[in-house]
Each structure stands twice: as C-alpha cells, then as structure tokens.
Amino acid sequence: MTLRVQILKDKFNSSLGLPFKDLLPPSVIEQALDELKIRYKERLFDPIVTLWAFLSQVIEADKSCHNAVSKIIAYLAKFEVELPSTDTSAYCQARLRLPETLLQKLFRDTGQSLESKVTTEYLWCGRNVKVIDGSTVSMPDTIENQKAYPQPSSQTPGCGFPIAKLGVIFSLATGAAIALCIDVMNTHDIKLARNLYQFLNPLDILLGDRAFCAYADLISIKNINCDALFRKHQARKTTMQKGKIIGSSDKLVTWDKPKKCPQGLTLSEFSALPLTLTVREIYYYIVVPGFRTERVSLITTLLDTTTYSTLEIVGLYSKRWDVELDLRHLKTTLGMDVLRCKTPSMVRKEIYVYLLAYNLLRSLMWSAGTTYCTPPLRLSLQGTRHHLNNFIPELLAAHSTKRLQIYRTLLKVIAHKVVPDRPARSEPRVRKRRPKAYPLMTKPRHELRKQLQSA
C-alpha cells in the first residue's frame, strides 16, 4: 500500500504538482491537514492522492469518476504493484471522506498566496481592487439536493434541477477567486456580500454592480478601512441639483440614513448606523451603435479627487466586466455550470475543488506572464488548460532535469496565447444553431413513462 501511494504522489507531483509547485505542493496539503488536525488511515486514496485526482478530474473535459480511476490505474500499470479495481466506489468514498474545511482552506490559501505576488505595477492607484458578483449553478435532481437547494418555485416538481446561489470575490490584478459564499437560489446578492466582507484586506477597493450599492454596506466597507465603487442602485433617483460639484459630472452627495431597518440587518445593527454618509457620485454616458444611449451613475467612497480622478474611476468601473469573464471561465470553460455530485456536502466540495483548480490555472498564467513579460490577465485560461493537459504526459515521462525544461516550455507556449484586446466590442445575443425540436419537460419523468406505456 505504501509503495502504491508513494508512486501516485510522485506521479501527481511531477504532472500537476510541478506547474503548481509554488501554491500546492504536497507539503502545503500536509501542513493544512496538520493545522486542521485531520487524521486518516493508510489507504491507497489518502487525502493527498484523492485531492490530486479530484483536481485532475475537474480540469479535464471528461469529468467522470471512471476516467479518474482509469488514470490512476494507468499511472501504476508499469510498476510491479497490485492494481486497484476499476470500480469507482473506493475513489468516491475517498472523496466523501475529504473534509470540506480542508478544501475551503486550500482554496483560500491559494488565492491569498497568489495575491501576495502582486507588485505595485499591477495595482490601481497603488491599491488592490477586488470585484464581487453573484451567480448560480445547477446540480443533479436528488431528494437531498432539492431539500438543501430547492429548484425555482415556478417549475413543476420533477421537471427542474436544484440550484445554488454563489457569491464570489475575485482579484482584479490576478483574476484569482479570493472568497466564496454558497446559499439557496433566492438569496439576494447583498446577503451573500455581507458574508464576504470579512475576507477583504485593509485598503482594498471593492468593485461591484448596482445590487451591492446600499447605505449600510457602504458604511460596513468603510468600517473595515476599505473603499467601494458601485453603480448607483436604480431605486435612488438621479438628480444633479443636489450636492457639492467637484468636477465635470462629479459631485459630493450626502445620503441620509434610511427611515426603516432594511432586510438583513438587526435592529441593533441598524441603530449603530450613522445618520448621514457622504459619497461621491459620477455620471457618464455609454454610446454603443445599435443601442440607446445609456446614462451610468457611479457611487464611490473614494472622495479624494487628486488621487482618484473622475477618468480613473470611470476607467476602473469599466473593468467590472472582468468578473463576468471570470465567472464564465469557471462555469463554461471549466464546466462548473452543471455539477455532478448527488448530495449537498459533495456539491459544496465540488465547487471548492473547481475554484481551487481555477486558482491554480491562474497561478500558471501568472507565472507565464511574469516570466515572459506578458500581461497575465490577457492570457487565455482555456488555452492554459489545454496546454497543461497536453503537457502532463510529457512531464510524467521525463526525468527531473528534463522535466524543468519541459515546464519552462509550457510557460512559454502559455504566454504565446494572448487574447486580443477588443474594447467596446458588442455582439447580438442570439443563437445561430437551432436546438432539437423536442418539447420542454412539463411533467415528472415517471408520469411521462406511464403515458408512453398506456399509448
């Protein structure tokens, strides 16, 4: 057993471990196990082997457990050791034994570790910017998942899928995911955000859309020595007659405390809010061919006009779209949109492993970009994933000296895959390829089977 485990650890360390050696070597996993006081038996699928297999599973296109077990058998095939069964039950049980707290810690540590590599040239006005947004993921239609993350109430029971709501904070400098909150689908984005403020560092700037622009939240962010830049909420009427004008389309405005306690706040929290709040309001117009001209109003706590000019703030808010691309990478590129696990605890673990894999890919892009003088955020995450999967067999087959040369070649080819800069690009949101002409499912599957049998 010990020999097989060591062989697998060496294989994973030379394939996935080498590209991610700065963020997730076996020593980091072992340290996390010790800090969390996690004890485990000597098995083929110990936590380190299981985690490496889980990571390789979500990075590849074929995400089945059978493919993961087949890869492990292939790793052991040329050695004179007993091969594990092709049955996936041992691996699935090992994933079930993986503590959720371990995956949470590794995900957050990798994000923070990548953040620590950010130098001044990647900061905005000398400060680190974090971007926040919410999204949803679906999962298999099981009784356990439906209880924890119910499907939309508008769907007929048996005709929909359980959906979880995610709140995520990303780093604008590295693209890495920093913090995550998971809740039921009908949870408002601002409730998720209030669970994420604790992961901000002093002097961070939080960037978000209009859903997060609330009186209490701006104060909460200021209280932790951070600043915010949000789009103005549509419920607040825009008027330029009030406020102190400090520049073209730029003014200081005093907001009054709400008369009623907002949802999500306790009476004591509401009572502790100051009576007024001074914010900065900036407005500008977006002109896109084919669309009506839109006026955008921004609200920020960055009141210093000398350090943070109007154009700098408008330019910063235009980068908020990066969070949409980050979520698309997670859900579409890596395939987190539709999860595969059948219990709520495994669903959460699967989400954390996806985010961990995403951060590791971002670390590879960061290494490639900084090594070959290319902006890391301009590199293709899909291209990085493809190159990594294609280089893994070569990394496994090479000896230690050659392996480092192959690794440097991997970084070089990743740096060559630069995404074109296409500012103000707009495309119609239509589909050219027609779907199959099948009707939507409006009754549970067992009722439809009965109809077929009685027909």
Side-chain angles (χ1 to χ4, degrees):
M1 179 67 71
T2 304
L3 178 58
R4 292 196 298 173
V5 171
Q6 190 58 47
I7 291 171
L8 287 176
K9 286 182 179 179
D10 290 342
K11 290 291 185 181
F12 282 121
N13 195 38
S14 60
S15 58
L16 287 176
L18 180 61
F20 306 141
K21 60 183 175 64
D22 293 335
L23 291 189
L24 199 66
S27 59
V28 169
I29 305 175
E30 291 171 353
Q31 182 181 351
L33 290 168
D34 291 338
E35 290 179 3
L36 297 173
K37 298 180 180 180
I38 297 171
R39 301 290 178 261
Y40 56 93
K41 297 180 180 179
E42 290 294 334
R43 295 183 172 98
L44 174 63
F45 291 108
D46 70 0
I48 297 178
V49 171
T50 304
L51 178 59
W52 281 123
F54 207 165
L55 278 171
S56 63
Q57 187 179 357
V58 301
I59 288 175
E60 290 196 352
D62 185 350
K63 304 183 184 303
S64 65
C65 292
H66 183 272
N67 183 52
V69 173
S70 175
K71 179 183 295 185
I72 288 172
I73 294 174
Y75 285 169
L76 296 171
K78 73 175 184 178
F79 298 92
E80 295 181 357
V81 294
E82 180 185 357
L83 297 180
S85 170
T86 57
D87 187 85
T88 61
S89 59
Y91 172 60
C92 292
Q93 291 172 27
R95 293 198 314 171
L96 191 63
R97 288 192 300 268
L98 269 181
E100 186 177 333
T101 53
L102 173 65
L103 301 178
Q104 285 179 350
K105 178 174 176 54
L106 292 175
F107 151 63
R108 289 171 184 163
D109 288 352
T110 53
Q112 294 297 336
S113 179
L114 187 53
E115 281 292 281
S116 66
K117 298 181 180 182
V118 176
T119 54
T120 307
E121 61 182 302
Y122 294 100
L123 300 179
W124 180 83
C125 293
R127 296 179 65 176
N128 214 331
V129 180
K130 307 292 175 59
V131 195
I132 188 171
D133 205 0
S135 189
T136 58
V137 291
S138 68
M139 61 199 74
D141 188 13
T142 63
I143 295 175
E144 295 90 342
N145 286 344
Q146 285 283 9
K147 287 182 179 179
Y149 305 107
Q151 69 182 45
S153 57
S154 59
Q155 292 180 328
T156 303
C159 299
F161 292 93
I163 296 179
K165 184 73 171 288
L166 308 181
V168 193
I169 291 180
F170 293 91
S171 166
L172 188 66
T174 65
I178 305 300
L180 168 73
C181 182
I182 307 173
D183 213 320
V184 297
M185 187 195 67
N186 59 358
T187 305
H188 196 281
D189 286 354
I190 207 164
K191 180 181 178 182
L192 298 174
R194 287 167 183 166
N195 293 324
L196 296 174
Y197 295 152
Q198 58 182 309
F199 300 108
L200 296 175
N201 297 320
L203 299 181
D204 279 352
I205 298 174
L206 188 62
L207 182 62
D209 62 18
R210 64 180 68 187
F212 305 98
C213 188
Y215 185 93
D217 291 78
L218 290 171
I219 292 173
S220 297
I221 294 169
K222 288 293 294 180
N223 287 341
I224 58 176
N225 198 23
C226 295
D227 283 294
L229 173 59
F230 301 138
R231 187 172 178 179
K232 189 175 183 179
H233 195 277
Q234 63 272 17
R236 285 189 176 271
K237 302 302 180 183
T238 300
T239 172
M240 296 306 295
Q241 281 74 28
K242 296 182 179 180
K244 177 183 178 182
I245 297 176
I246 55 177
S248 177
S249 306
D250 195 343
K251 64 177 181 176
L252 294 179
V253 182
T254 299
W255 284 5
D256 295 323
K257 178 180 176 180
K259 296 181 180 179
K260 295 183 179 179
C261 179
Q263 291 184 355
L265 292 182
T266 63
L267 289 177
S268 59
E269 291 172 336
F270 179 67
S271 300
L273 295 177
L275 296 178
T276 60
L277 171 67
T278 300
V279 296
R280 185 175 172 188
E281 181 174 352
I282 299 170
Y283 75 93
Y284 61 97
Y285 294 91
I286 297 178
V287 181
V288 179
F291 295 85
R292 64 181 177 86
T293 299
E294 183 177 7
R295 173 168 163 162
V296 177
S297 293
L298 304 180
I299 298 297
T300 181
T301 57
L302 299 167
L303 306 184
D304 186 351
T305 57
T306 303
T307 306
Y308 315 107
S309 67
T310 305
L311 290 179
E312 288 279 6
I313 291 178
V314 171
L316 176 60
Y317 188 77
S318 67
K319 296 179 181 179
R320 194 209 67 85
W321 181 252
D322 288 359
V323 74
E324 306 289 348
L325 302 179
D326 294 336
L327 287 170
R328 188 187 70 179
H329 285 317
L330 269 170
K331 296 175 63 176
T332 304
T333 305
L334 295 184
M336 195 182 75
D337 190 22
V338 179
L339 303 173
R340 303 173 64 91
C341 292
K342 298 182 180 180
T343 62
S345 63
M346 281 304 302
V347 162
R348 291 190 294 271
K349 292 178 188 179
E350 189 177 3
I351 292 172
Y352 279 114
V353 172
Y354 267 109
L355 287 166
L356 177 57
Y358 169 81
N359 279 355
L360 294 176
L361 288 173
R362 282 292 185 186
S363 73
L364 198 54
M365 296 163 64
W366 183 266
S367 298
T370 53
T371 302
Y372 292 98
C373 301
T374 304
L377 292 181
R378 292 285 305 280
L379 299 181
S380 168
L381 188 134
Q382 180 72 295
T384 302
R385 174 170 166 261
H386 288 162
H387 289 313
L388 174 63
N389 286 332
N390 292 332
F391 269 70
I392 281 177
E394 304 304 321
L395 290 168
L396 287 171
H399 54 79
S400 57
T401 306
K402 185 68 173 177
R403 194 176 296 142
L404 290 174
Q405 180 183 342
I406 295 174
Y407 171 62
R408 287 193 290 268
T409 304
L410 171 62
L411 295 183
K412 189 173 184 178
V413 297
I414 288 174
H416 285 171
K417 186 67 174 178
V418 178
V419 177
D421 186 19
R422 294 170 288 200
R425 181 191 184 201
S426 61
E427 294 288 343
R429 305 185 91 174
V430 295
R431 294 184 299 170
K432 181 178 180 180
R433 193 172 297 280
R434 271 57 175 172
K436 300 292 184 181
Y438 292 115
L440 294 176
M441 185 175 177
T442 57
K443 295 181 181 179
R445 195 173 296 278
H446 67 275
E447 293 185 13
L448 295 176
R449 287 200 192 100
K450 288 181 181 179
Q451 290 182 4
L452 291 175
Q453 293 170 0
S454 62

